[in-house]
Amino acid sequence: MHSIWKIALISVGWLTVRAQSNPPIELANERVRISWKNTPAGWAIGQVAVRKGANWVNLSAPSGENTLLYAADKPSDKPDTTFKDITGQPFPAERYHYQQKQWAESTNPVSLNKAGKALHFFPKEAKQTRPNSLSFQHDTEAAMVSTVWSFDPRFPSDIVVKQTVTARKPGYFSLASPTMFSVSEQNLGWATIPGYFQGNKLQPNFALAYAYGHGIPTIPAVYRERCASTLCPMVTTKTGVTIAVIPEPGLSRDPWAVDKSTQIDWEIGLSHMNRKAQLSPTLYYPVLGQPKSSLQPGESISYTFRYSLTDGDWFKALNHAVYDIYQFRETLALRQSTQSLTERIQKMHHYLTDPKTSLWNIEEFEGKKLGAQSYLGGVVGSDRDAMKNSDYGAMWMLANATHDPLLTENVLPYAENFKLAQQETGTSFFKGAPEGQYYLAKSKKFVEEWGSVVEPIGLTYYTLLDMGNMLLFDPANTELKERLRLGADRLLTWQKPDGRWAVAYDRNTEQEIFTDVQDVRPTFYGLIVAYRILKDPKYLASARKGADWFIKNAVETGSFLGVCGDARYAPDFATGQSAQALLDLYDLTNDIRYQHSAITVAKIYTTSIYTHPIASHKPKTVNGIPREDWEISQTGLSFEHGGIFGSATRLGPIQLCSHAGLFIRMYQLTKEPIFADMARSGAIGRDAFVDPKTSVASYYWERMNKGSGPYPHHAWWQIGWLTDYLMAEAELRSAGNVTFPRGFVTPKVGPHQTYGFRAGAVYGQPASLLVQEGLVQPDSPVIDYILTRSADQKKLFIVLQNNRAQATKTTVKLNPAVLQKTFAKARWLPTNQAVPPGDITLELPGFGQQVLEVELR
């Protein structure tokens, strides 16, 4: 049997480097072995081994070196280094003023990890304090540092470390977690700071690595917790071992500490490297120059973190951090809705059919009346006259499910005209592409969001996806079909021989621009649409060619690009959309590579979901309203774009959980609980962000419940993703017995898909989607429902869902009079148990479902 302790004879007193005869000391259990040896420099780690199956894997380059950062004066917060992109141009360009401030603060000396004096040392003294616990102590010129290492008895692969710095002279101090071992570039399998980057290779161009995550930065930059979705920097070796450094919960900033946003507070620093630029996940506390780092002689500060040594990949290590340390499952159980998602959809229906609340406009353009909603965000050239539509699939879906003439007559015809007018039909280089996302009513022209550019993915979005979703509902529309073909053929001509596309073209010169980044986005999806609608095999062949390039250059390397022009394409929700694109391609081809790649991308997208800080019942105040912490928690929400200069750096995550339906489908496919838990955590109990007057959620977390603000069109996206989530849950919870055909993903914001263009099946019976307010009335807001009816209108199928973790007793009232029908009989499916007339009482387990069949007369 392996001896855990080799220092039993030295149970008391410090072991110093002067006693050269001292034997090695170690921490060891059934999963991990770490041994220190006494060297002339101090106590250094001589071996780190991790158990994999029946074997032990020795990790190369063990270290044990400690680092203390010290500065007599507060470090400057101004950048003193400039960077260029791979084309040699200064980065970022001046016109991206949204990014200038974030880039400046992300390239100051503290962020680049070159501020202060780095005091590197191996501790001079070591002591066994109790079984499976070691203490180290070392004096430096600036401070004394003590460190305690011990196993976590709950998790045998985790070593909990507590470090304390006691100042000897005044100044600013930052402790770095000791380097257990470093990973060579040759042994690198994967590295990630969730929310910032991931990849399997180093990227020498700092702008490309730091701003986009296209490769791993070679500078040991210190990242803030603002966009760190899970506080868990990780490196995986090619031998299949992952080392992660996880700060103790509560160490990082609380984004809304009491009664206002504290999103930009910087309490901890995270890095994939130590100060010497060796690959080794590292935590910095306090952050040098931040308030807690200022100490006077005799003052001390401590912090606790853990090393986690996982015998598996980064995703296994991430799950451990998310569930075991940051208690994600327990925080999901706190979520309680005060308004059902179903009711939110119904209320937003009213919001969107009222021109005043939805800011709906109809404008004359070249002899046609165009309809769109006002857009009051930033658009180049706008004089508060920009108009935009979003989620044509949701528009047509809601109109088809409600048969509301306010939609079918007052909205859809004018929205279709907008779409047709938006597309270029002349003979130019841009024939078939959209002229721009936005229409400027005063100058009567279409423009792009952030300059005179035309993007191939914009063609996929605003021509092929929108027209494709419309054609699902209106397959006989020959004009739309020809316009779709026009766009698809243009996308074909723009496809490069290797399968990729340009990021964008300059509208004036027709030259390719943004050549410093690759189009690692799901541009190929437009050809999936073309193939499904037009059936021409050339489109499928080109879609596959594009997807194959994407898998090699994006999926396998962890490199993705965003779709928001105003953010200079910082990686965003298009990454999640890529997973659905690959799933849809698998459905068409049965090529298992696409399914496997979709799963990989979905796993990567879990690092776009916040899992900290741990949500609780702690009382807080929001705009004068008492709230509990869980109500406004970031956990479970995704960001628009994260990283160094995404919107999340200041505004936090967003409420558009377009990925929720995809994640439920991924759970159904993989049985990985994190997908279902993240979907549900983002979707339910978010009422603190919902405007009570309109039921429209705010976009950015920081806005809390201020409604749609300058983005009234977002309500369509909200209807779209909420429906996709509920439909995905229905299929999952019924084991595939409630299933409806899915359309195409929506442009831009993520992977949610449209429904209702064709009948689905409820336990083998054909049924069509129906939205009918007042017909079904559960007495609890945690009960959602999906309503469908048979082709002969004589049967209703009501899919009742309990959308919380706890079991729920509920009473459901049926009011068939709103359909001018009366109740005949009802039964539960698939048991065929009869339901007596009157109010229906049932109990649903946590995240459970029951399906009711009602016959009408």
Side-chain angles (χ1 to χ4, degrees):
M1 183 175 178
H2 181 75
S3 173
I4 293 179
W5 296 104
K6 296 182 179 179
I7 57 168
L9 296 178
I10 312 174
S11 59
V12 179
W14 290 102
L15 303 175
T16 71
V17 71
R18 291 183 295 275
Q20 293 297 323
S21 61
N22 288 329
I25 58 177
E26 73 173 8
L27 288 176
N29 62 15
E30 69 274 20
R31 303 301 311 169
V32 175
R33 297 173 183 167
I34 309 173
S35 66
W36 283 258
K37 57 185 179 182
N38 200 342
T39 74
W43 285 93
I45 295 175
Q47 181 190 42
V48 180
V50 176
R51 191 179 186 94
K52 281 182 68 70
N55 302 312
W56 288 86
V57 176
N58 283 313
L59 299 168
S60 59
S63 173
E65 186 172 53
N66 284 241
T67 300
L68 172 67
L69 305 182
Y70 171 73
D73 301 309
K74 185 177 181 180
S76 171
D77 61 358
K78 305 298 182 185
D80 59 5
T81 309
T82 58
F83 296 93
K84 295 181 178 180
D85 64 28
I86 62 173
T87 70
Q89 297 301 310
F91 186 89
E94 289 185 6
R95 61 178 170 154
Y96 291 99
H97 54 258
Y98 288 168
Q99 280 65 54
Q100 291 295 327
K101 186 173 183 179
Q102 288 98 314
W103 184 253
E105 69 182 12
S106 297
T107 53
N108 67 31
V110 173
S111 296
L112 295 182
N113 205 355
K114 60 181 186 177
K117 181 179 181 181
L119 305 172
H120 302 292
F121 62 90
F122 294 92
K124 295 291 186 181
E125 300 174 322
K127 182 172 66 174
Q128 177 190 355
T129 54
R130 62 183 188 275
N132 267 359
S133 182
L134 295 175
S135 292
F136 298 92
Q137 188 167 294
H138 188 85
D139 265 332
T140 73
E141 61 187 76
M144 175 180 285
V145 178
S146 64
T147 309
V148 179
W149 298 57
S150 57
F151 280 115
D152 186 332
R154 301 170 300 162
F155 309 112
S157 294
D158 285 12
I159 303 98
V160 177
V161 178
K162 181 178 181 180
Q163 286 199 293
T164 301
V165 58
T166 302
R168 292 197 175 281
K169 54 185 181 181
Y172 294 83
F173 299 82
S174 178
L175 276 167
S177 55
T179 300
M180 184 186 290
F181 65 92
S182 61
V183 178
S184 68
E185 185 175 357
Q186 294 73 26
N187 193 29
L188 171 64
W190 198 258
T192 180
I193 296 180
Y196 282 101
F197 72 85
Q198 63 282 316
N200 59 1
K201 62 182 179 182
L202 297 179
Q203 169 57 256
N205 183 268
F206 186 64
L208 197 55
Y210 201 43
Y212 294 99
H214 291 185
I216 298 161
T218 55
I219 292 175
V222 181
Y223 293 82
R224 291 160 168 79
E225 59 263 55
R226 300 176 192 176
C227 296
S229 56
T230 297
L231 302 177
C232 184
M234 296 176 273
V235 175
T236 302
T237 68
K238 287 183 178 175
T239 55
V241 173
T242 299
I243 178 172
V245 172
I246 309 172
E248 193 71 6
L251 197 64
S252 70
R253 64 96 179 90
D254 181 336
W256 194 283
V258 181
D259 58 359
K260 62 183 178 180
S261 176
T262 43
Q263 167 78 355
I264 65 172
D265 289 2
W266 194 10
E267 299 289 352
I268 63 173
L270 305 168
S271 188
H272 57 302
M273 291 178 166
N274 60 24
R275 176 81 170 215
K276 292 182 176 180
Q278 297 168 322
L279 278 170
S280 180
T282 304
L283 173 66
Y284 292 88
Y285 185 84
V287 176
L288 198 67
Q290 296 300 304
K292 291 181 181 178
S293 70
S294 176
L295 298 176
Q296 295 298 315
E299 290 184 330
S300 298
I301 192 167
S302 300
Y303 78 118
T304 303
F305 68 94
R306 67 184 58 227
Y307 298 105
S308 185
L309 293 167
T310 301
D311 60 339
D313 67 2
W314 68 271
F315 189 65
K316 182 178 180 181
L318 180 79
N319 271 267
H320 169 56
V322 168
Y323 283 114
D324 298 330
I325 310 306
Y326 280 89
Q327 302 175 29
F328 194 72
R329 186 170 289 111
E330 290 81 356
T331 64
L332 171 60
L334 297 177
R335 309 222 133 267
Q336 307 291 321
S337 294
T338 57
Q339 181 186 27
S340 73
L341 304 181
T342 308
E343 183 181 320
R344 272 188 61 194
I345 293 171
Q346 293 169 350
K347 299 299 184 186
M348 283 190 284
H349 171 203
H350 296 306
Y351 162 84
L352 288 163
T353 51
D354 184 336
K356 292 183 179 179
T357 56
S358 65
L359 304 185
W360 176 252
N361 309 283
I362 295 178
E363 296 284 342
E364 291 278 351
F365 177 75
E366 296 182 354
K368 285 189 174 183
K369 291 185 176 180
L370 314 185
Q373 291 169 271
S374 295
Y375 180 89
L376 303 177
V379 176
V380 171
S382 170
D383 184 19
R384 295 185 65 81
D385 62 335
M387 295 162 51
K388 178 178 178 174
N389 288 318
S390 69
D391 209 337
Y392 273 71
M395 283 185 180
W396 264 249
M397 175 178 67
L398 188 66
N400 194 65
T402 61
H403 300 288
D404 184 352
L406 293 177
L407 290 173
T408 59
E409 297 175 12
N410 295 0
V411 172
L412 299 196
Y414 305 107
E416 182 174 339
N417 284 346
F418 184 96
K419 185 56 53 183
L420 293 171
Q422 188 181 40
Q423 185 184 29
E424 295 199 29
T425 57
T427 58
S428 77
F429 178 74
F430 301 110
K431 179 181 178 180
E435 293 187 26
Q437 295 179 56
Y438 304 88
Y439 177 70
L440 303 184
K442 294 178 182 178
S443 51
K444 294 188 178 298
K445 64 180 181 179
F446 286 89
V447 298
E448 199 40 74
E449 186 172 27
W450 212 246
S452 187
V453 301
V454 180
E455 300 172 65
I457 200 167
L459 168 53
T460 282
Y461 282 165
Y462 305 112
T463 296
L464 299 172
L465 279 175
D466 282 341
M467 290 183 181
N469 272 326
M470 294 158 69
L471 280 162
L472 291 174
F473 292 89
D474 187 13
N477 191 322
T478 55
E479 183 178 15
L480 274 180
K481 275 189 179 180
E482 286 309 307
R483 294 296 197 92
L484 182 78
R485 188 182 302 277
L486 199 66
D489 288 343
R490 174 56 55 190
L491 198 60
L492 280 182
T493 63
W494 280 348
Q495 188 174 30
K496 296 178 183 291
D498 60 2
R500 64 189 170 97
W501 283 271
V503 171
Y505 296 100
D506 183 284
R507 175 167 289 281
N508 300 312
T509 67
E510 300 180 2
Q511 297 299 305
E512 185 176 338
I513 51 177
F514 298 108
T515 54
D516 59 312
V517 288
Q518 291 186 310
D519 183 34
V520 275
R521 303 179 290 192
T523 304
F524 62 87
Y525 196 97
L527 296 170
I528 293 176
V529 176
Y531 175 71
R532 274 184 60 180
I533 297 293
L534 302 174
K535 311 301 183 188
D536 190 328
K538 69 181 182 183
Y539 298 129
L540 180 59
S542 290
R544 296 190 67 167
K545 189 176 183 180
D548 291 346
W549 181 90
F550 180 83
I551 289 169
K552 182 178 180 181
N553 292 276
V555 181
E556 293 178 3
T557 65
S559 302
F560 300 94
L561 196 68
V563 293
C564 294
D566 57 347
R568 207 188 187 277
Y569 310 119
D572 59 19
F573 26 48
T575 302
Q577 191 176 63
S578 302
Q580 188 63 61
L582 290 164
L583 274 187
D584 286 2
L585 190 54
Y586 167 74
D587 289 341
L588 289 175
T589 64
N590 289 318
D591 187 334
I592 197 66
R593 294 180 305 122
Y594 300 134
Q595 186 186 79
H596 289 166
S597 296
I599 293 169
T600 297
V601 178
K603 286 180 176 179
I604 290 172
Y605 197 68
T606 63
T607 65
S608 292
I609 315 301
Y610 283 96
T611 62
H612 73 95
I614 299 172
S616 70
H617 290 290
K618 180 181 177 181
K620 294 184 174 181
T621 303
V622 177
N623 300 326
I625 301 171
R627 297 283 189 191
E628 291 190 356
D629 173 73
W630 67 265
E631 294 182 86
I632 60 169
S633 171
Q634 293 186 355
T635 58
L637 295 176
S638 64
F639 42 62
E640 178 184 39
H641 19 69
I644 291 303
F645 57 38
S647 61
T649 57
R650 279 173 167 72
L651 302 175
I654 58 173
Q655 306 300 318
L656 271 180
C657 296
S658 178
H659 62 278
L662 165 71
F663 271 20
I664 293 297
R665 290 186 281 277
M666 278 294 166
Y667 172 66
Q668 193 171 6
L669 180 62
T670 67
K671 305 308 177 191
E672 291 281 0
I674 195 170
F675 288 122
D677 291 343
M678 283 185 165
R680 291 163 179 170
S681 185
I684 63 175
R686 295 291 172 183
D687 306 277
F689 299 94
V690 176
D691 175 17
K693 295 179 181 178
T694 64
S695 291
V696 180
S698 61
Y699 185 50
Y700 295 113
W701 167 87
E702 192 263 349
R703 300 286 189 254
M704 292 294 160
N705 67 340
K706 292 185 178 179
S708 62
Y711 318 116
H713 61 287
H714 282 206
W716 285 116
W717 275 323
Q718 291 178 33
I719 287 173
W721 83 255
L722 288 170
T723 302
D724 186 39
Y725 166 69
L726 293 173
M727 298 296 276
E729 287 277 24
E731 183 170 338
L732 169 69
R733 299 183 196 183
S734 68
N737 286 297
V738 177
T739 180
F740 282 74
R742 298 193 311 274
F744 305 116
V745 300
T746 191
K748 198 171 185 176
V749 300
H752 73 258
Q753 297 177 288
T754 194
Y755 297 81
F757 54 90
R758 197 167 69 241
V762 178
Y763 287 94
Q765 301 182 71
S768 296
L769 195 62
L770 175 66
V771 173
Q772 183 65 62
E773 195 172 350
L775 178 57
V776 181
Q777 296 176 316
D779 68 353
S780 170
V782 304
I783 302 297
D784 284 295
Y785 67 89
I786 296 166
L787 187 59
T788 68
R789 61 182 168 188
S790 61
D792 63 7
Q793 313 288 301
K794 293 180 180 179
K795 284 184 181 179
L796 294 176
F797 303 98
I798 305 167
V799 183
L800 294 159
Q801 297 178 352
N802 178 20
N803 276 328
R804 67 171 182 171
Q806 298 81 21
T808 302
K809 289 183 177 179
T810 188
T811 299
V812 179
K813 296 179 181 292
L814 299 182
N815 184 21
V818 301
L819 294 176
Q820 299 179 333
K821 302 279 187 179
T822 58
F823 185 98
K825 60 180 179 179
R827 60 175 181 152
W828 294 114
L829 297 178
T831 63
N832 295 324
Q833 179 185 350
V835 177
D839 295 347
I840 300 164
T841 302
L842 74 156
E843 181 171 356
L844 290 170
F847 297 112
Q849 178 173 283
Q850 287 264 42
V851 179
L852 184 67
E853 178 190 282
V854 178
E855 291 189 23
L856 303 173
R857 65 166 70 94

